[in-house]
Amino acid sequence: MRDGPIMAGIVATVLAVAVAVAAGVASAEERPLLRLDRGALETLPSQRTAWGGTVRPLAQAGGHLVARVSLPAAADIPPHPHPSGKAALVTVLRGSFELALGTQFEPTRLVRIPTGETVLFRLDDPHHFARTGPEGAELLLVAVPPDALVPELAAR
């Protein structure tokens, strides 16, 4: 009976679905999208910066870091390095953000980084400094080993 294994598979599938429904387990298609609004993000563990910002790691493994960075309103952020031994991509998600490279805070050198734009800090870039506008800024930081960058970025 060739139909025996097919029928057994169908019965096993039906039983598995029945057990999952009875247990309240939804299939991947039925699960709601996992959204992390600002309130959900604020419940994650965080670290305070010396200048009053908050860093919330979202993923961290194998020399990679993805973090949400919240910066206070009207803040001058002193010169500081990006994560040691890493290239860093910083995307402005919200707010007003100005940035420059250097070891001294020089307001005349600041460049406005518009919302949605990404800045690449290369491994050999010096310290950087920043300023936020009246509404502060939300950033997405992705720090990776330099060899993890796509060749088109690594060559810049």
Side-chain angles (χ1 to χ4, degrees), residues 71-77 94-98 130-137:
L71 299 173
D76 284 346
I77 300 161
R94 181 186 63 78
S96 177
F97 190 61
E98 298 176 320
R131 173 178 281 163
T132 61
E135 68 278 4

Side-chain angles (χ1 to χ4, degrees), residues 14-32:
V14 169
L15 285 173
V17 169
V19 168
V21 169
V25 177
S27 71
E29 292 82 24
E30 296 170 345
R31 280 193 301 234

Side-chain angles (χ1 to χ4, degrees), residues 53-78:
T54 303
V55 178
R56 288 185 172 81
L58 303 173
Q60 191 170 4
H64 296 74
L65 168 69
V66 178
R68 180 80 176 244
V69 180
S70 301
L71 299 173
D76 284 346
I77 300 161

Side-chain angles (χ1 to χ4, degrees), residues 36 41 44-47 54-69 83 86-91 93 139-145:
L36 299 174
L41 287 170
L44 296 174
S46 64
Q47 301 144 5
T54 303
V55 178
R56 288 185 172 81
L58 303 173
Q60 191 170 4
H64 296 74
L65 168 69
V66 178
R68 180 80 176 244
V69 180
K86 309 256 187 284
L89 296 155
V90 177
T91 301
L93 301 174
L139 312 173
L140 182 65
L141 166 68
V142 178
V144 298

